[in-house]
Amino acid sequence: MHEPARRIRALHTASTITVYQAYSPVIGVPAARDGRFPASWKRDRMTWIKPSFLWMMYRCGWGLKEGQEVVLAVEIARDGFDWALENSCLSHYDRDVHPDQVSWKRELKSSPARVQWDPERDLHLRPLPYRSLQLGLAGEASRRYADEWTVSVTDVTPLAHRIHALVRQGDLDTARGLLPDERPYPDPGGAA
């Protein structure tokens, strides 16, 4: 199957999309226990969400990196995710999208969300020749993500560790069978 250069791949339903983040136990454990982010989660700073499970595994080292030991699957409302995409700006200047760097910087400063396209990863966490979305949420988007859009928060650290163990054992078929069913997500038009 041919993959386009950029595509949002995600586990999603008609009303939700699942994104991944990794945190220290201080944040991750209460978030999973309570199904929402605790008051100590900083709503005023940029937070990056990843619809790709394997890209998250690359970022957090299968939940083994310090400060990223708790891997969360955060199910959020699709209308919130779509709003973030529609109100986003590329995280980098692209002359095919922006008339000039000054315009891009102005848009970046006023946008509550940032789109970044990073190489998708295989089970060995090697880069693939196509890219998946990483979405940065700041200000209003970050607050709405934590307090309005979140439907559920699940600790998927045991799943990450199980898949990682299977990869290390060379059982890629079983590992692949445990991956979330990430399908193409319809772009509402904001993820340039």
Side-chain angles (χ1 to χ4, degrees):
M1 177 174 113
H2 172 72
E3 284 289 337
R6 295 175 175 176
R7 174 181 277 171
I8 300 171
R9 296 165 192 82
L11 176 63
H12 58 89
T13 68
S15 61
T16 65
I17 179 170
T18 299
V19 297
Y20 301 94
Q21 294 190 291
Y23 290 100
S24 69
V26 172
I27 297 292
V29 170
R33 179 191 64 226
D34 300 336
R36 58 185 161 71
F37 290 98
S40 60
W41 189 85
K42 294 180 177 22
R43 284 151 173 80
D44 57 342
R45 62 178 279 218
M46 176 77 69
T47 190
W48 290 89
I49 58 176
K50 299 138 186 86
S52 166
F53 180 83
L54 285 175
W55 202 95
M56 184 69 251
M57 295 307 100
Y58 166 73
R59 179 71 177 88
C60 72
W62 298 101
L64 299 174
K65 286 186 181 176
E66 185 177 347
Q68 298 183 50
E69 302 92 344
V70 180
V71 182
L72 300 178
V74 184
E75 190 178 19
I76 63 172
R78 276 179 67 161
D79 60 351
F81 184 79
D82 292 348
W83 179 91
L85 287 176
E86 290 164 4
N87 290 280
S88 69
C89 175
L90 279 175
S91 63
H92 65 280
Y93 171 71
D94 183 336
R95 70 181 50 161
D96 294 331
V97 177
H98 306 100
D100 53 58
Q101 286 199 356
V102 171
S103 299
W104 165 71
K105 285 181 181 178
R106 186 172 33 253
E107 184 181 352
L108 186 67
K109 192 173 187 175
S110 66
S111 295
R114 294 184 182 165
V115 165
Q116 186 167 305
W117 293 100
D118 295 303
E120 181 56 272
R121 301 289 164 159
D122 67 11
L123 279 166
H124 294 285
L125 306 183
R126 298 176 300 217
L128 293 168
Y130 48 89
R131 294 178 177 264
S132 287
L133 176 76
Q134 181 177 192
L135 188 60
L137 306 175
E140 178 185 2
S142 181
R143 289 186 299 276
R144 293 178 73 184
Y145 167 68
D147 299 325
E148 296 174 27
W149 303 340
T150 298
V151 174
S152 68
V153 180
T154 305
D155 183 348
V156 293
T157 310
L159 175 64
H161 291 171
R162 174 77 178 124
I163 294 172
H164 185 216
L166 289 165
V167 171
R168 285 194 328 260
Q169 295 164 13
D171 190 352
L172 299 184
D173 289 338
T174 303
R176 197 172 290 108
L178 294 176
L179 291 173
D181 182 22
E182 294 175 359
R183 297 170 283 114
Y185 184 83
D187 180 2

